[in-house]
mmCIF file of all heavy atoms in Angstrom:
data_model
loop_
_atom_site.group_PDB
_atom_site.id
_atom_site.type_symbol
_atom_site.label_atom_id
_atom_site.label_comp_id
_atom_site.label_asym_id
_atom_site.label_seq_id
_atom_site.Cartn_x
_atom_site.Cartn_y
_atom_site.Cartn_z
ATOM 1 N N ILE A 1 104.282 93.571 112.356
ATOM 2 C CA ILE A 1 102.858 93.364 112.129
ATOM 3 C C ILE A 1 102.659 92.949 110.679
ATOM 4 O O ILE A 1 103.115 93.623 109.758
ATOM 5 C CB ILE A 1 102.062 94.643 112.438
ATOM 6 C CG1 ILE A 1 102.213 95.000 113.925
ATOM 7 C CG2 ILE A 1 100.582 94.454 112.082
ATOM 8 C CD1 ILE A 1 101.630 96.337 114.293
ATOM 9 N N SER A 2 101.986 91.828 110.468
ATOM 10 C CA SER A 2 101.707 91.327 109.129
ATOM 11 C C SER A 2 100.213 91.457 108.846
ATOM 12 O O SER A 2 99.385 91.144 109.704
ATOM 13 C CB SER A 2 102.139 89.857 108.989
ATOM 14 O OG SER A 2 103.543 89.740 109.061
ATOM 15 N N ILE A 3 99.889 91.913 107.625
ATOM 16 C CA ILE A 3 98.500 92.225 107.286
ATOM 17 C C ILE A 3 98.126 91.633 105.929
ATOM 18 O O ILE A 3 98.899 91.695 104.976
ATOM 19 C CB ILE A 3 98.279 93.756 107.247
ATOM 20 C CG1 ILE A 3 98.558 94.370 108.630
ATOM 21 C CG2 ILE A 3 96.862 94.087 106.796
ATOM 22 C CD1 ILE A 3 98.451 95.891 108.661
ATOM 23 N N ILE A 4 96.927 91.077 105.843
ATOM 24 C CA ILE A 4 96.314 90.706 104.573
ATOM 25 C C ILE A 4 95.296 91.777 104.228
ATOM 26 O O ILE A 4 94.322 91.986 104.959
ATOM 27 C CB ILE A 4 95.635 89.326 104.653
ATOM 28 C CG1 ILE A 4 96.697 88.226 104.800
ATOM 29 C CG2 ILE A 4 94.782 89.067 103.418
ATOM 30 C CD1 ILE A 4 96.127 86.828 104.959
ATOM 31 N N GLY A 5 95.525 92.492 103.105
ATOM 32 C CA GLY A 5 94.669 93.605 102.732
ATOM 33 C C GLY A 5 93.390 93.187 102.038
ATOM 34 O O GLY A 5 93.175 92.010 101.713
ATOM 35 N N ASN A 6 92.542 94.164 101.789
ATOM 36 C CA ASN A 6 91.242 93.918 101.162
ATOM 37 C C ASN A 6 91.359 93.436 99.711
ATOM 38 O O ASN A 6 90.425 92.843 99.178
ATOM 39 C CB ASN A 6 90.387 95.177 101.190
ATOM 40 C CG ASN A 6 91.057 96.354 100.521
ATOM 41 O OD1 ASN A 6 91.819 97.065 101.170
ATOM 42 N ND2 ASN A 6 90.804 96.588 99.231
ATOM 43 N N GLY A 7 92.501 93.680 99.061
ATOM 44 C CA GLY A 7 92.686 93.252 97.683
ATOM 45 C C GLY A 7 93.008 91.776 97.534
ATOM 46 O O GLY A 7 93.042 91.259 96.407
ATOM 47 N N VAL A 8 93.237 91.094 98.648
ATOM 48 C CA VAL A 8 93.554 89.671 98.641
ATOM 49 C C VAL A 8 92.262 88.862 98.735
ATOM 50 O O VAL A 8 91.343 89.235 99.459
ATOM 51 C CB VAL A 8 94.490 89.307 99.817
ATOM 52 C CG1 VAL A 8 94.812 87.817 99.834
ATOM 53 C CG2 VAL A 8 95.778 90.127 99.746
ATOM 54 N N VAL A 9 92.192 87.759 98.001
ATOM 55 C CA VAL A 9 91.083 86.809 98.188
ATOM 56 C C VAL A 9 91.591 85.682 99.094
ATOM 57 O O VAL A 9 92.659 85.120 98.865
ATOM 58 C CB VAL A 9 90.542 86.265 96.849
ATOM 59 C CG1 VAL A 9 89.734 87.329 96.142
ATOM 60 C CG2 VAL A 9 91.649 85.763 95.940
ATOM 61 N N VAL A 10 90.790 85.367 100.112
ATOM 62 C CA VAL A 10 91.256 84.510 101.204
ATOM 63 C C VAL A 10 90.469 83.207 101.260
ATOM 64 O O VAL A 10 89.242 83.222 101.428
ATOM 65 C CB VAL A 10 91.132 85.239 102.562
ATOM 66 C CG1 VAL A 10 91.569 84.312 103.708
ATOM 67 C CG2 VAL A 10 91.966 86.519 102.570
ATOM 68 N N ASP A 11 91.159 82.100 101.129
ATOM 69 C CA ASP A 11 90.572 80.792 101.430
ATOM 70 C C ASP A 11 90.740 80.601 102.937
ATOM 71 O O ASP A 11 91.866 80.389 103.412
ATOM 72 C CB ASP A 11 91.304 79.694 100.655
ATOM 73 C CG ASP A 11 90.716 78.303 100.890
ATOM 74 O OD1 ASP A 11 90.294 78.035 102.038
ATOM 75 O OD2 ASP A 11 90.721 77.472 99.957
ATOM 76 N N PRO A 12 89.666 80.681 103.718
ATOM 77 C CA PRO A 12 89.818 80.662 105.179
ATOM 78 C C PRO A 12 90.392 79.358 105.714
ATOM 79 O O PRO A 12 91.149 79.355 106.685
ATOM 80 C CB PRO A 12 88.404 80.915 105.687
ATOM 81 C CG PRO A 12 87.502 80.481 104.567
ATOM 82 C CD PRO A 12 88.238 80.787 103.309
ATOM 83 N N TRP A 13 90.027 78.231 105.087
ATOM 84 C CA TRP A 13 90.551 76.946 105.530
ATOM 85 C C TRP A 13 92.046 76.826 105.209
ATOM 86 O O TRP A 13 92.820 76.353 106.029
ATOM 87 C CB TRP A 13 89.775 75.803 104.877
ATOM 88 C CG TRP A 13 88.349 75.763 105.299
ATOM 89 C CD1 TRP A 13 87.844 75.211 106.443
ATOM 90 C CD2 TRP A 13 87.223 76.343 104.620
ATOM 91 N NE1 TRP A 13 86.489 75.379 106.503
ATOM 92 C CE2 TRP A 13 86.068 76.062 105.385
ATOM 93 C CE3 TRP A 13 87.083 77.024 103.418
ATOM 94 C CZ2 TRP A 13 84.798 76.469 105.003
ATOM 95 C CZ3 TRP A 13 85.814 77.440 103.041
ATOM 96 C CH2 TRP A 13 84.689 77.157 103.823
ATOM 97 N N ALA A 14 92.439 77.297 104.036
ATOM 98 C CA ALA A 14 93.854 77.279 103.660
ATOM 99 C C ALA A 14 94.664 78.179 104.579
ATOM 100 O O ALA A 14 95.795 77.857 104.956
ATOM 101 C CB ALA A 14 94.020 77.712 102.200
ATOM 102 N N LEU A 15 94.102 79.320 104.954
ATOM 103 C CA LEU A 15 94.792 80.243 105.851
ATOM 104 C C LEU A 15 95.023 79.612 107.215
ATOM 105 O O LEU A 15 96.135 79.669 107.758
ATOM 106 C CB LEU A 15 93.988 81.533 106.004
ATOM 107 C CG LEU A 15 94.540 82.539 107.021
ATOM 108 C CD1 LEU A 15 95.938 82.997 106.649
ATOM 109 C CD2 LEU A 15 93.597 83.738 107.168
ATOM 110 N N LEU A 16 93.991 79.002 107.776
ATOM 111 C CA LEU A 16 94.133 78.381 109.092
ATOM 112 C C LEU A 16 95.132 77.233 109.063
ATOM 113 O O LEU A 16 95.886 77.027 110.019
ATOM 114 C CB LEU A 16 92.768 77.896 109.596
ATOM 115 C CG LEU A 16 91.743 79.000 109.895
ATOM 116 C CD1 LEU A 16 90.406 78.401 110.295
ATOM 117 C CD2 LEU A 16 92.265 79.940 110.987
ATOM 118 N N GLU A 17 95.156 76.493 107.972
ATOM 119 C CA GLU A 17 96.111 75.403 107.828
ATOM 120 C C GLU A 17 97.540 75.954 107.738
ATOM 121 O O GLU A 17 98.478 75.388 108.317
ATOM 122 C CB GLU A 17 95.799 74.584 106.575
ATOM 123 C CG GLU A 17 96.675 73.339 106.397
ATOM 124 C CD GLU A 17 96.549 72.347 107.530
ATOM 125 O OE1 GLU A 17 95.443 72.209 108.117
ATOM 126 O OE2 GLU A 17 97.585 71.707 107.845
ATOM 127 N N GLU A 18 97.714 77.063 107.023
ATOM 128 C CA GLU A 18 99.033 77.678 106.902
ATOM 129 C C GLU A 18 99.517 78.215 108.245
ATOM 130 O O GLU A 18 100.695 78.095 108.591
ATOM 131 C CB GLU A 18 98.999 78.804 105.862
ATOM 132 C CG GLU A 18 100.367 79.376 105.530
ATOM 133 C CD GLU A 18 100.329 80.352 104.363
ATOM 134 O OE1 GLU A 18 99.382 80.301 103.565
ATOM 135 O OE2 GLU A 18 101.253 81.169 104.245
ATOM 136 N N ILE A 19 98.610 78.812 109.012
ATOM 137 C CA ILE A 19 98.959 79.292 110.349
ATOM 138 C C ILE A 19 99.395 78.132 111.232
ATOM 139 O O ILE A 19 100.396 78.215 111.957
ATOM 140 C CB ILE A 19 97.774 80.051 110.973
ATOM 141 C CG1 ILE A 19 97.538 81.368 110.241
ATOM 142 C CG2 ILE A 19 98.027 80.306 112.463
ATOM 143 C CD1 ILE A 19 96.290 82.114 110.672
ATOM 144 N N LYS A 20 98.645 77.037 111.160
ATOM 145 C CA LYS A 20 98.995 75.845 111.935
ATOM 146 C C LYS A 20 100.379 75.323 111.550
ATOM 147 O O LYS A 20 101.187 74.958 112.409
ATOM 148 C CB LYS A 20 97.939 74.765 111.703
ATOM 149 C CG LYS A 20 98.170 73.472 112.492
ATOM 150 C CD LYS A 20 97.070 72.464 112.179
ATOM 151 C CE LYS A 20 97.327 71.134 112.910
ATOM 152 N NZ LYS A 20 96.258 70.142 112.546
ATOM 153 N N GLU A 21 100.638 75.300 110.239
ATOM 154 C CA GLU A 21 101.909 74.793 109.727
ATOM 155 C C GLU A 21 103.083 75.635 110.206
ATOM 156 O O GLU A 21 104.108 75.105 110.643
ATOM 157 C CB GLU A 21 101.867 74.771 108.199
ATOM 158 C CG GLU A 21 103.128 74.251 107.528
ATOM 159 C CD GLU A 21 103.034 74.330 106.021
ATOM 160 O OE1 GLU A 21 101.919 74.159 105.474
ATOM 161 O OE2 GLU A 21 104.063 74.595 105.377
ATOM 162 N N ILE A 22 102.930 76.953 110.136
ATOM 163 C CA ILE A 22 104.048 77.815 110.507
ATOM 164 C C ILE A 22 104.209 77.888 112.028
ATOM 165 O O ILE A 22 105.317 78.052 112.538
ATOM 166 C CB ILE A 22 103.898 79.221 109.867
ATOM 167 C CG1 ILE A 22 105.267 79.911 109.821
ATOM 168 C CG2 ILE A 22 102.866 80.083 110.574
ATOM 169 C CD1 ILE A 22 105.325 81.081 108.888
ATOM 170 N N ASN A 23 103.118 77.725 112.756
ATOM 171 C CA ASN A 23 103.215 77.624 114.217
ATOM 172 C C ASN A 23 104.066 76.423 114.628
ATOM 173 O O ASN A 23 104.831 76.482 115.594
ATOM 174 C CB ASN A 23 101.833 77.503 114.838
ATOM 175 C CG ASN A 23 101.112 78.831 114.960
ATOM 176 O OD1 ASN A 23 101.730 79.890 114.941
ATOM 177 N ND2 ASN A 23 99.800 78.801 115.100
ATOM 178 N N SER A 24 103.934 75.321 113.872
ATOM 179 C CA SER A 24 104.683 74.103 114.183
ATOM 180 C C SER A 24 106.184 74.292 114.002
ATOM 181 O O SER A 24 106.979 73.510 114.516
ATOM 182 C CB SER A 24 104.190 72.941 113.308
ATOM 183 O OG SER A 24 104.597 73.110 111.953
ATOM 184 N N LYS A 25 106.574 75.342 113.242
ATOM 185 C CA LYS A 25 107.996 75.636 113.038
ATOM 186 C C LYS A 25 108.487 76.730 113.970
ATOM 187 O O LYS A 25 109.567 77.281 113.780
ATOM 188 C CB LYS A 25 108.248 76.025 111.582
ATOM 189 C CG LYS A 25 107.995 74.884 110.606
ATOM 190 C CD LYS A 25 108.433 75.235 109.196
ATOM 191 C CE LYS A 25 108.263 74.025 108.279
ATOM 192 N NZ LYS A 25 108.787 74.296 106.905
ATOM 193 N N GLY A 26 107.676 77.030 114.975
ATOM 194 C CA GLY A 26 108.099 77.969 116.002
ATOM 195 C C GLY A 26 107.805 79.428 115.719
ATOM 196 O O GLY A 26 108.296 80.312 116.430
ATOM 197 N N VAL A 27 107.006 79.702 114.695
ATOM 198 C CA VAL A 27 106.659 81.083 114.353
ATOM 199 C C VAL A 27 105.288 81.418 114.933
ATOM 200 O O VAL A 27 104.301 80.751 114.647
ATOM 201 C CB VAL A 27 106.652 81.301 112.826
ATOM 202 C CG1 VAL A 27 106.214 82.733 112.492
ATOM 203 C CG2 VAL A 27 108.034 81.028 112.247
ATOM 204 N N LYS A 28 105.219 82.453 115.733
ATOM 205 C CA LYS A 28 103.978 82.854 116.387
ATOM 206 C C LYS A 28 103.089 83.640 115.427
ATOM 207 O O LYS A 28 103.545 84.550 114.749
ATOM 208 C CB LYS A 28 104.288 83.716 117.613
ATOM 209 C CG LYS A 28 103.067 84.172 118.408
ATOM 210 C CD LYS A 28 103.436 85.114 119.523
ATOM 211 C CE LYS A 28 103.833 86.483 118.977
ATOM 212 N NZ LYS A 28 103.985 87.497 120.050
ATOM 213 N N VAL A 29 101.830 83.287 115.355
ATOM 214 C CA VAL A 29 100.827 84.047 114.615
ATOM 215 C C VAL A 29 99.639 84.264 115.535
ATOM 216 O O VAL A 29 98.925 83.317 115.891
ATOM 217 C CB VAL A 29 100.367 83.314 113.334
ATOM 218 C CG1 VAL A 29 99.334 84.161 112.577
ATOM 219 C CG2 VAL A 29 101.542 82.978 112.428
ATOM 220 N N ASP A 30 99.423 85.493 115.977
ATOM 221 C CA ASP A 30 98.300 85.784 116.867
ATOM 222 C C ASP A 30 97.783 87.192 116.578
ATOM 223 O O ASP A 30 98.252 87.868 115.650
ATOM 224 C CB ASP A 30 98.688 85.622 118.343
ATOM 225 C CG ASP A 30 99.865 86.515 118.749
ATOM 226 O OD1 ASP A 30 100.065 87.600 118.136
ATOM 227 O OD2 ASP A 30 100.586 86.152 119.702
ATOM 228 N N ILE A 31 96.823 87.661 117.380
ATOM 229 C CA ILE A 31 96.196 88.966 117.133
ATOM 230 C C ILE A 31 97.154 90.130 117.352
ATOM 231 O O ILE A 31 96.853 91.264 116.968
ATOM 232 C CB ILE A 31 94.929 89.149 117.981
ATOM 233 C CG1 ILE A 31 95.255 89.060 119.480
ATOM 234 C CG2 ILE A 31 93.876 88.107 117.596
ATOM 235 C CD1 ILE A 31 94.067 89.406 120.378
ATOM 236 N N GLU A 32 98.283 89.874 117.976
ATOM 237 C CA GLU A 32 99.262 90.927 118.208
ATOM 238 C C GLU A 32 100.101 91.229 116.969
ATOM 239 O O GLU A 32 100.568 92.358 116.795
ATOM 240 C CB GLU A 32 100.199 90.551 119.374
ATOM 241 C CG GLU A 32 99.492 90.357 120.698
ATOM 242 C CD GLU A 32 98.805 91.624 121.184
ATOM 243 O OE1 GLU A 32 99.407 92.713 121.011
ATOM 244 O OE2 GLU A 32 97.689 91.522 121.717
ATOM 245 N N ASN A 33 100.295 90.218 116.093
ATOM 246 C CA ASN A 33 101.168 90.434 114.944
ATOM 247 C C ASN A 33 100.522 90.144 113.588
ATOM 248 O O ASN A 33 101.188 90.208 112.563
ATOM 249 C CB ASN A 33 102.454 89.608 115.092
ATOM 250 C CG ASN A 33 102.229 88.105 114.940
ATOM 251 O OD1 ASN A 33 101.121 87.592 115.078
ATOM 252 N ND2 ASN A 33 103.316 87.390 114.672
ATOM 253 N N PHE A 34 99.212 89.829 113.585
ATOM 254 C CA PHE A 34 98.563 89.471 112.331
ATOM 255 C C PHE A 34 97.159 90.059 112.247
ATOM 256 O O PHE A 34 96.376 89.966 113.191
ATOM 257 C CB PHE A 34 98.504 87.956 112.194
ATOM 258 C CG PHE A 34 97.864 87.474 110.918
ATOM 259 C CD1 PHE A 34 98.302 87.919 109.680
ATOM 260 C CD2 PHE A 34 96.809 86.564 110.954
ATOM 261 C CE1 PHE A 34 97.710 87.483 108.514
ATOM 262 C CE2 PHE A 34 96.214 86.116 109.790
ATOM 263 C CZ PHE A 34 96.655 86.581 108.566
ATOM 264 N N ILE A 35 96.863 90.681 111.087
ATOM 265 C CA ILE A 35 95.570 91.316 110.840
ATOM 266 C C ILE A 35 95.063 90.903 109.454
ATOM 267 O O ILE A 35 95.826 90.825 108.505
ATOM 268 C CB ILE A 35 95.688 92.862 110.896
ATOM 269 C CG1 ILE A 35 96.128 93.327 112.293
ATOM 270 C CG2 ILE A 35 94.371 93.522 110.496
ATOM 271 C CD1 ILE A 35 96.499 94.801 112.349
ATOM 272 N N ILE A 36 93.738 90.648 109.365
ATOM 273 C CA ILE A 36 93.071 90.429 108.088
ATOM 274 C C ILE A 36 92.073 91.557 107.873
ATOM 275 O O ILE A 36 91.312 91.895 108.781
ATOM 276 C CB ILE A 36 92.309 89.086 108.049
ATOM 277 C CG1 ILE A 36 93.195 87.917 108.412
ATOM 278 C CG2 ILE A 36 91.705 88.859 106.662
ATOM 279 C CD1 ILE A 36 92.418 86.609 108.585
ATOM 280 N N SER A 37 92.054 92.120 106.686
ATOM 281 C CA SER A 37 91.064 93.143 106.390
ATOM 282 C C SER A 37 89.659 92.570 106.483
ATOM 283 O O SER A 37 89.368 91.495 105.941
ATOM 284 C CB SER A 37 91.271 93.705 104.987
ATOM 285 O OG SER A 37 90.184 94.538 104.609
#
């Protein structure tokens, strides 16, 4: 389980782009393994 805590500042567009990028390399990112505070 991977988590972004409340102390992190999040660019939502950059985050979605990063998720898309890593998905393209075969790494799953979904509600089962990823949480944002």
Side-chain angles (χ1 to χ4, degrees):
I1 297 172
S2 293
I3 298 176
I4 291 177
N6 57 274
V8 179
V9 286
V10 178
D11 182 323
W13 295 278
L15 175 61
L16 294 176
E17 185 61 34
E18 188 172 339
I19 291 173
K20 182 180 177 182
E21 181 183 326
I22 201 163
N23 280 340
S24 71
K25 294 188 176 185
V27 177
K28 182 185 72 171
V29 181
D30 58 28
I31 60 173
E32 299 298 321
N33 70 340
F34 181 53
I35 298 170
I36 306 171
S37 170

